[in-house]
Every structure is written in C-alpha cells, then in structure tokens.
Amino acid sequence: MPRINVKQGELAHWLQLIAAEREAGLIADAVPSNVREGLILLSCVTESEQGKLVVTEKGRLSLRMSAPDAIHLA
C-alpha cells in the first residue's frame, strides 16, 4: 500500500470539510493533492464527473467513528 504523507488529523479535517458540502461536493482543487489522493485511496471520497469530491459511505462511517459520542469510545 502506498504511503500517504499527511500530518496527524489532516485527513479527518478535510473529510469533515468535504462532508459539510453535502451532495454538492467540494471542488477537488480546493483540497491539497496529497490529502485528496489519500482520501480517494482509502475510499472515503470519490471524485464526481464535475470534478468535485463527494463523501462515500465509508467516509461517513469514518466521521461517525471519530465523533466524540461514538459508541466504541464509551
């Protein structure tokens, strides 16, 4: 598996920003290329035909698992 060169918490930060755009998605060029490639590689986002990043089911699960009230953290 290729190494993803990001700082701790950087993928989660950008995933939250992309998720905030809901169905419209976030323009792919607005996300740093290393982060974009990492999120796509991990199947947390996909790039739409319009060139926007949209959160996948796996990405939504990742967001729920990282939430402060996640059941596994209790």
Side-chain angles (χ1 to χ4, degrees), residues 16-46:
Q16 289 173 349
L17 290 177
I18 296 166
E21 294 297 321
R22 305 247 183 240
E23 297 301 318
L26 184 67
I27 297 172
D29 292 339
V31 180
S33 62
N34 62 325
V35 173
R36 181 176 60 242
E37 292 169 8
L39 290 171
I40 291 172
L41 178 70
L42 295 170
S43 301
C44 291
V45 300
T46 58

Side-chain angles (χ1 to χ4, degrees), residues 9-74:
E10 193 172 15
L11 290 176
H13 168 76
W14 282 101
L15 185 57
Q16 289 173 349
L17 290 177
I18 296 166
E21 294 297 321
R22 305 247 183 240
E23 297 301 318
L26 184 67
I27 297 172
D29 292 339
V31 180
S33 62
N34 62 325
V35 173
R36 181 176 60 242
E37 292 169 8
L39 290 171
I40 291 172
L41 178 70
L42 295 170
S43 301
C44 291
V45 300
T46 58
E47 192 166 351
S48 71
E49 293 176 3
Q50 294 80 23
K52 295 186 177 187
L53 298 176
V54 180
V55 178
T56 63
E57 283 297 318
K58 184 176 180 183
R60 283 189 277 282
L61 175 62
S62 297
L63 289 170
R64 283 195 304 270
M65 295 295 285
S66 66
D69 60 344
I71 193 167
H72 73 281
L73 297 176

Side-chain angles (χ1 to χ4, degrees), residues 2-7 10-11 34-35 38:
R3 184 167 167 77
I4 302 170
N5 189 19
V6 294
K7 296 177 184 169
E10 193 172 15
L11 290 176
N34 62 325
V35 173

